[in-house]
Each structure stands twice: as C-alpha cells, then as structure tokens.
Amino acid sequence: MNTLIFGFEGTITEKVAQLLSSVADIQVIKSDETDIETFIEQTDFSRYERVIGMGTYSGKDKDRVRIETECSSQFRNKKENLIRLSIPYFIDENDIFKLAKGIGNSWCNLVSFRLIKTQKVANYTFLHVPRTMSVTKVANAVRTVLSC
C-alpha cells in the first residue's frame, strides 16, 4: 500500500518519519499555519491509500503512542462555532498504541481538522508520540502496522 507519513520539523516525529522513509513517503512540516495550508493544498493525497500524521505528546500518560480519535475547529483559544470531527483511524490498540481524545488545540489539531474537513484524505490516522519514547520503538511499531 502506498503510504504518506508526516511529522513536525524539529520534533521526535521528524526522527520517526526519517526512520520510515524506506516504507512510506515522508513529509516534514513546520509548526506554522501557512506551512500546514501549503502542505494540504500542494500534496496529492489521492496517490496514497493511507496517511499517518504524527505530533509530539507531552501529557501525563506517556506509556503508549496515542491514536487520536477526534479533532475540532478550535485552534488555540478560539472557541466560537466549535465543530468536532471524528478521525477515522486505521491502527488498532495494542501494547504500543492506545485510543485517545486529547489532540489539543494546536498544530496537530489544525492539520487533522483541515485534512478531514476538506475530505482530502480517505484513510487517515493521527498519532501523538510521547516525546520521551524511543524513536526506534515507535518507528518499528509503525513499520509493523504498515506491513500488515
């Protein structure tokens, strides 16, 4: 299957993505609204059967990679006309991955909301990677999912 994986520049997700370059196309985007918009507008998502987005997570429960199941129109603290959308994940829970509803209101949420709202991606999963987790462990877990 043809897969696109994207992560954010200068984070653990950029390192994970680099380790997966042999099994997927990789894009590294900046934590910037203009860069996210350019990524969405200029990427031909129809070329990919699966898209995995990754962001860094630094919350309390850092034992597993979080499969985010919901995003919203809230960016930063702008809550007017709040819209919530489900993220149609394709990775199952296991000892490495767990389902979560805590994508936040920053860059991870923004890119997920815009991708889903514009219906540019049919098969999308967003992963929040704990910043303290082993890069190799995460890359190997994603590689295993992609090989199934």
Side-chain angles (χ1 to χ4, degrees), residues 112-138:
S112 294
F113 183 80
R114 299 240 172 110
L115 278 173
I116 293 167
K117 188 172 185 227
T118 59
Q119 299 177 338
K120 291 215 172 215
V121 195
N123 210 4
Y124 178 63
T125 293
F126 190 87
L127 302 176
H128 253 149
V129 179
R131 81 170 30 128
T132 56
M133 193 169 266
S134 160
V135 172
T136 305
K137 181 178 182 178
V138 176

Side-chain angles (χ1 to χ4, degrees), residues 18-70:
Q18 289 169 346
L19 289 179
L20 294 167
S21 63
S22 63
V23 295
D25 289 348
I26 303 303
Q27 288 281 333
V28 177
I29 58 178
K30 293 179 182 172
S31 298
D32 172 82
E33 195 166 358
T34 302
D35 202 59
I36 289 170
E37 289 300 324
T38 301
F39 165 68
I40 292 170
E41 290 172 11
Q42 294 184 357
T43 302
D44 180 6
F45 292 99
S46 67
R47 294 181 44 222
Y48 301 102
E49 295 172 59
R50 299 180 291 199
V51 176
I52 298 174
M54 297 185 299
T56 303
Y57 180 72
S58 59
K60 295 178 193 170
D61 55 341
K62 296 178 270 222
D63 58 325
R64 293 190 281 169
V65 175
R66 299 163 55 96
I67 304 164
E68 297 296 348
T69 60
E70 187 177 270

Side-chain angles (χ1 to χ4, degrees), residues 85-129:
L85 298 174
S86 293
I87 300 175
Y89 60 92
F90 59 84
I91 295 176
D92 295 323
E93 285 187 288
N94 61 27
D95 59 328
I96 302 291
F97 300 106
K98 68 179 173 185
L99 297 179
K101 283 187 178 181
I103 198 167
N105 64 357
S106 195
W107 307 113
C108 302
N109 180 61
L110 179 68
V111 70
S112 294
F113 183 80
R114 299 240 172 110
L115 278 173
I116 293 167
K117 188 172 185 227
T118 59
Q119 299 177 338
K120 291 215 172 215
V121 195
N123 210 4
Y124 178 63
T125 293
F126 190 87
L127 302 176
H128 253 149
V129 179

